[in-house]
Amino acid sequence: MRTIQGKFHRESQSKAEDLEHRRMMNHALNQSEIAFQNGKQQFQNLDKAKEDAQSVKEKATIHLDRYLLEFEDRFTKNGGKVIWARDGKEALEAVWKICAEKKAKKIVKSKSMVTEEIHLNAFLQKKDIEVIETDLGEYIQQLSEEPPYHIVAPSIHKSKEEVAQLFHEKLGVRPHLGPEELTMVARRQLRTEFQEADIGITGVNFLLSDIGGVAITENEGNARMVTAFPNTHIAITGIEKVLPSAKDLELFWPLLATHGSGQKVTVYNSIFTGPKHRNETDGPEDMYVILLDNGRTNILSDPEMRESLHCIRCGACLNVCPVYKNIGGHTYNTVYGGPIGSVITPHLSGMKEYGHLSHASSLCGACTEVCPVKINLHELLLKNRRKSVEQKNTFRLEKFSWYIWKRSMLSRRMLNTANGNTKERMFRYLFKKSWGENRAIPTFPKKSFNEQWKERNSKIEK
Amino acid sequence: MKIQLFVPCFVDQLFPQTAFNMISILEKLDCEVVYNPQQTCCGQPAFNAGHWNESKIVAQKFLDDFDPENYIVTPSGSCTGFVRNHYHKLLSGKIPPKDLGVKNPLLRNIFEFSEFLVQKLDYTKIKASMDGVGTYHDSCGALRECGIKSAPRKLLENVEGLKIVETEDSEVCCGFGGTFAIKYEPISTAMTEQKVHNAVEKGADYIISTDLSCLMQMDGYIKKHNYKIKTIHIVDVLSRGLNPKYSSNSGYCVS
Ligand code: SF4
């Protein structure tokens, strides 16, 4: 039962002590920070924009049922098909059914965290279908057979040199290519894949309820290729991605771009409202949208946690998180890493298994401060901690310690019984191991402030 | 002006001199400082660990120990932020609707020391002197829970002989985080290490902050690795050069 936590402990230690990893991450995330600081200049009043976005998402979440049905209605009228999936298994079956119908052999994909969540690639490969990631970062991750390191920048942890080496090994190109040449290699490689693919699968940035549309944001143009070449387009999304109206994009596109990559708007922004119509020349013949629940309604039904569904997956909270920076994305051992991952994973995959992530935070609040939809991330971590205690996941010793703490804090007499030396010895005894090798144990003065104050005042009174 | 002193549990146990120095400064500014010796803790440690029932009982005691109608001043942004922002949730067990004014006036009357000096006493020019280069560390409690950023800097600017330099990561967490420092020691110390290194690189002799929990964390790292840089609480900086009533006969001068 505790093995996931044990693994986290081991891996977080080895990453935190890995100085090369630290250097890489600091460098990469500093770049993001600089870009963000520049990008946010486009807002006259960023805080107001964030407040507006928060209230739009609040509205969307509270009336989620209505907006989803409205989306389905419009999208279906436009010739699209909507599939509701309660969990990953249902979503995979739906994809498989479409593949079988279309006799698909090859699928191209643009970036999608939801497909990571349901482990789509592994599933399709087992069915003998070739899947190719077309976002450059995801492509690199696929070549190295690793899950993404970051929800927006999947290969953020890899240096140019590592990527050059990877391309050399996996694609047989010359070693030591520069970034531009590497991009050209990927482009050439992917070009044929787009042309040959039977189905294109994308994620979704926003579901637009009032027009029955799917909005996709990207910087490489690959999502456009994925949706333009193959005859079938499947968009897979969590049900929380709804915006009431296409008009909301004027706020959400720049917010997402600035917080995700420091841009004013991303390079390519597309809205898909269904398959190609009879009088149109371009676009897929069939378009499906799979609406995935997979635990999200658990969160929806809990008023305390509900706001975590407002997330637009911009990745900003990861960029500013000192814990993420120090331990990296894979250590979390979850689909969604960083603060938002630590908040939602216990509710999607089990408090017992993932509750420890809520404790792996100094609660510094940098995530809450940056979040474009004002999710109170560090407070939600606190709530997770409380919920975990309520669900009796606490060790008996820990429970007992807090009982003793409570008793001491209720009684000044008890606090004043031992002298400084004894307290220091006690501290050593209790925390020697967990205080670690890198910090000196604090020294306790002989007497507390309270005792000294009392002594002085009694002298004055005399 | 009457001021109730709140000495947080770990300040009480580990850094009594800072509390005495704070009394000296406030008295120098003609405040009447009262201290209720029954006080212990605001309840934050258990709250942060998820043990809200235990926290609630201690918070209740805190409310009993202080007069809600008078100012409470404390040398900690973390405790101030906790009482201000979390008491209503903890004690009512509910999330209040947004913008609902907090009913208990105590939640409005508690202040972190430097914030109180600048905001309430409108005082920035304490006659203090300390030689050397200092860098200010924004504690997460002060910065993000209380929105304190300029007040301590204004106070420090006026300290004679002290040159203040800013590090790029002044707003980044020191890595303490209460139980986090114990449960995830390697991550916690990795964070501290970078804070200390960056301060040293900037040529600072002192890391100054509003919160002794942060300073204790960084000091532990500094001592273990024999760095020359020192940590010092803003109260202890500002009390230098005063002629304090209390610090003369005490043996626990910080620095
Ligand atoms: S929680 Fe906020 S900051 Fe983090 S990914 Fe989601 S929207 Fe972005």
Side-chain angles (χ1 to χ4, degrees):
Chain A
M1 182 187 78
R2 301 272 167 190
T3 51
I4 300 179
Q5 184 175 355
K7 191 163 176 247
F8 180 80
H9 263 273
R10 284 191 302 279
E11 290 177 7
S12 62
Q13 167 153 21
S14 83
K15 277 286 180 304
E17 291 168 357
D18 178 345
L19 295 182
E20 182 50 26
H21 180 263
R22 183 186 294 177
R23 198 189 57 76
M24 277 295 304
M25 292 299 278
N26 277 341
H27 174 73
L29 296 174
N30 279 348
Q31 299 296 104
S32 319
E33 173 64 15
I34 294 167
F36 171 67
Q37 291 302 335
N38 278 332
K40 79 176 193 191
Q41 303 301 331
Q42 73 168 319
F43 293 93
Q44 265 172 11
N45 186 343
L46 178 59
D47 204 54
K48 173 77 171 56
K50 283 160 66 162
E51 260 169 33
D52 290 350
Q54 179 190 30
S55 62
V56 170
K57 282 307 283 185
E58 231 165 55
K59 185 169 87 175
T61 310
I62 291 172
H63 304 295
L64 190 61
D65 50 345
R66 203 182 85 207
Y67 288 122
L68 284 172
L69 289 171
E70 211 173 292
F71 167 81
E72 180 182 35
D73 187 47
R74 304 264 150 80
F75 185 69
T76 315
K77 279 198 182 120
N78 253 327
K81 297 186 187 86
V82 172
I83 300 165
W84 299 76
R86 236 170 314 205
D87 52 25
K89 198 164 154 258
E90 284 190 11
L92 292 173
E93 272 162 17
V95 174
W96 172 234
K97 218 175 125 218
I98 300 167
C99 292
E101 230 169 70
K102 311 280 175 197
K103 300 199 175 61
K105 284 273 148 254
K106 186 180 272 196
I107 290 178
V108 281
K109 273 183 69 197
S110 72
K111 200 177 158 350
S112 148
M113 287 307 295
V114 171
T115 57
E116 292 290 329
E117 183 182 328
I118 61 176
H119 306 292
L120 179 66
N121 291 10
F123 171 83
L124 290 172
Q125 272 149 14
K126 253 193 229 138
K127 302 274 187 194
D128 264 342
I129 296 176
E130 193 187 352
V131 190
I132 299 113
E133 294 288 349
T134 66
D135 169 89
L136 184 58
E138 289 289 358
Y139 183 64
I140 293 169
Q141 289 311 96
Q142 191 180 29
L143 284 182
S144 39
E145 295 167 44
E146 278 177 13
Y149 214 68
H150 183 287
I151 60 174
V152 172
S155 56
I156 190 166
H157 61 310
K158 282 196 167 36
S159 64
K160 326 189 254 305
E161 293 75 22
E162 278 173 89
V163 177
Q165 181 60 23
L166 179 75
F167 275 36
H168 170 61
E169 279 167 22
K170 299 276 170 157
L171 303 173
V173 295
R174 273 188 298 117
H176 315 300
L177 293 181
E180 266 161 39
E181 292 164 302
L182 291 167
T183 314
M184 285 317 292
V185 170
R187 257 189 120 122
R188 234 175 292 131
Q189 203 80 17
L190 291 172
R191 188 62 63 155
T192 33
E193 309 288 12
F194 288 127
Q195 287 163 346
E196 288 171 12
D198 307 294
I199 296 177
I201 295 182
T202 67
V204 170
N205 291 102
F206 304 106
L207 282 171
L208 308 171
S209 174
D210 65 343
I211 61 162
V214 165
I216 296 177
T217 283
E218 44 145 356
N219 272 318
E220 295 165 17
N222 61 309
R224 289 204 170 164
M225 307 285 257
V226 166
T227 50
F229 278 101
N231 265 332
T232 307
H233 172 196
I234 307 174
I236 310 184
T237 178
I239 50 174
E240 81 284 9
K241 289 282 180 76
V242 168
L243 289 179
S245 164
K247 293 196 190 101
D248 296 319
L249 289 173
E250 93 183 314
L251 177 61
F252 280 84
W253 266 342
L255 268 182
L256 175 61
T258 295
H259 288 81
S261 49
Q263 291 165 286
K264 285 187 175 160
V265 275
T266 42
V267 179
Y268 300 98
N269 289 288
S270 317
I271 299 174
F272 303 90
T273 50
K276 136 168 112 178
H277 286 174
R278 224 178 263 148
N279 53 354
E280 290 169 346
T281 46
D282 293 319
E285 260 136 47
D286 287 300
M287 179 172 172
Y288 301 84
V289 171
I290 300 181
L291 299 172
L292 177 73
D293 176 354
N294 214 22
R296 286 164 176 79
T297 45
N298 293 343
I299 300 179
L300 187 64
S301 64
D302 181 345
E304 275 193 319
M305 300 311 293
R306 195 172 287 157
E307 62 173 304
S308 65
L309 292 177
H310 299 171
C311 174
I312 58 171
R313 303 279 188 265
C314 70
C317 58
L318 284 72
N319 297 347
V320 298
C321 176
V323 172
Y324 174 80
K325 201 178 268 190
N326 277 290
I327 68 174
H330 290 160
T331 305
Y332 290 86
N333 206 0
T334 56
V335 177
Y336 305 99
I340 184 64
S342 299
V343 166
I344 59 175
T345 309
H347 302 277
L348 299 176
S349 312
M351 186 62 87
K352 240 189 193 133
E353 292 77 9
Y354 293 97
H356 61 275
L357 293 177
S358 310
H359 289 273
S361 160
S362 63
L363 302 171
C364 76
C367 47
T368 303
E369 193 183 23
V370 79
C371 177
V373 286
K374 290 195 160 238
I375 300 174
N376 232 320
L377 288 152
H378 73 298
E379 254 188 71
L380 294 178
L381 290 174
L382 278 167
K383 286 176 182 154
N384 277 352
R385 293 182 183 187
R386 193 201 69 221
K387 283 171 197 286
S388 177
V389 170
E390 283 168 356
Q391 292 170 20
K392 306 209 181 335
N393 291 325
T394 325
F395 286 121
R396 222 186 293 161
L397 181 64
E398 187 184 325
K399 247 187 110 176
F400 181 68
S401 311
W402 286 111
Y403 170 75
I404 296 293
W405 173 85
K406 180 186 79 184
R407 292 297 302 269
S408 323
M409 291 308 155
L410 289 179
S411 143
R412 201 58 248 193
R413 211 164 40 91
M414 218 167 132
L415 268 180
N416 288 358
T417 41
N419 69 20
N421 283 341
T422 316
K423 283 172 187 160
E424 202 170 309
R425 274 209 306 278
M426 240 161 75
F427 187 97
R428 264 178 217 283
Y429 174 73
L430 289 172
F431 299 119
K432 191 168 184 300
K433 211 170 140 235
S434 45
W435 199 246
E437 295 298 314
N438 276 307
R439 289 174 296 193
I441 300 240
T443 31
F444 284 71
K446 274 208 197 72
K447 286 177 183 164
S448 68
F449 170 81
N450 191 274
E451 290 165 287
Q452 293 186 46
W453 187 88
K454 279 181 183 159
E455 277 177 19
R456 281 174 200 196
N457 274 36
S458 71
K459 265 186 226 153
I460 294 167
E461 271 158 32
K462 268 177 215 158
Chain B
M1 185 184 289
K2 191 168 160 184
I3 286 165
Q4 308 173 79
L5 182 67
F6 168 46
V7 182
C9 53
F10 62 95
V11 179
D12 176 57
Q13 296 294 319
L14 286 162
F15 309 100
Q17 189 54 47
T18 304
F20 281 116
N21 289 344
M22 192 171 122
I23 300 178
S24 300
I25 296 173
L26 290 170
E27 286 186 344
K28 182 99 184 166
L29 299 177
D30 290 332
C31 298
E32 182 199 340
V33 183
V34 295
Y35 171 73
N36 176 0
Q38 286 309 314
Q39 63 179 261
T40 54
C41 171
C42 61
Q44 180 172 201
F47 180 85
N48 283 1
H51 296 263
W52 286 27
N53 286 338
E54 284 74 8
S55 174
K56 206 168 170 168
I57 293 167
V58 174
Q60 200 60 57
K61 174 175 161 47
F62 183 91
L63 293 180
D64 293 341
D65 287 340
F66 290 91
D67 169 10
E69 301 294 344
N70 268 310
Y71 289 133
I72 303 167
V73 181
T74 181
S76 163
S78 171
C79 304
T80 305
F82 174 62
V83 172
R84 242 184 229 170
N85 304 336
H86 297 281
Y87 259 32
H88 54 287
K89 284 169 233 163
L90 173 67
L91 295 167
S92 70
K94 277 189 288 236
I95 326 165
K98 248 191 283 168
D99 302 328
L100 182 84
V102 175
K103 287 221 187 72
N104 193 330
L106 182 139
L107 277 58
R108 274 184 277 115
N109 276 334
I110 184 163
F111 289 90
E112 182 276 328
F113 167 80
S114 68
E115 161 187 62
F116 185 79
L117 244 54
V118 175
Q119 268 182 32
K120 290 287 147 184
L121 299 180
D122 198 16
Y123 202 86
T124 51
K125 293 194 176 67
I126 288 195
K127 273 210 193 70
S129 64
M130 185 168 98
D131 283 336
V133 181
T135 187
Y136 177 73
H137 159 69
D138 288 280
S139 89
C140 301
L143 180 69
R144 283 178 279 265
E145 296 287 341
C146 305
I148 299 169
K149 187 158 170 69
S150 62
R153 288 182 168 85
K154 272 189 202 143
L155 288 162
L156 290 172
E157 262 169 31
N158 289 318
V159 173
E160 212 183 279
L162 181 67
K163 187 182 158 211
I164 292 292
V165 291
E166 289 281 338
T167 60
E168 260 148 47
D169 63 346
S170 67
E171 294 187 2
V172 176
C173 177
C174 69
F176 179 61
T179 51
F180 172 71
I182 292 167
K183 286 194 175 180
Y184 292 99
E185 180 272 324
I187 314 175
S188 167
T189 35
M191 288 162 67
T192 311
E193 182 166 73
Q194 292 163 77
K195 290 289 296 190
V196 172
H197 285 184
N198 290 339
V200 169
E201 244 168 57
K202 276 275 160 181
D205 306 309
Y206 300 99
I207 302 176
I208 307 167
S209 187
T210 50
D211 283 68
L212 282 159
S213 43
C214 312
L215 294 176
M216 177 182 82
Q217 163 84 2
M218 291 187 275
D219 190 49
Y221 182 85
I222 290 168
K223 292 226 168 91
K224 193 78 182 198
H225 296 86
N226 296 316
Y227 280 94
K228 275 226 248 4
I229 193 166
K230 290 192 169 79
T231 61
I232 180 166
H233 192 272
I234 186 163
V235 161
D236 300 319
V237 175
L238 298 177
S239 69
R240 293 205 172 188
L242 283 183
N243 196 2
K245 186 159 98 196
Y246 287 111
S247 46
S248 53
N249 58 351
S250 157
Y252 310 113
C253 235
V254 187
S255 90

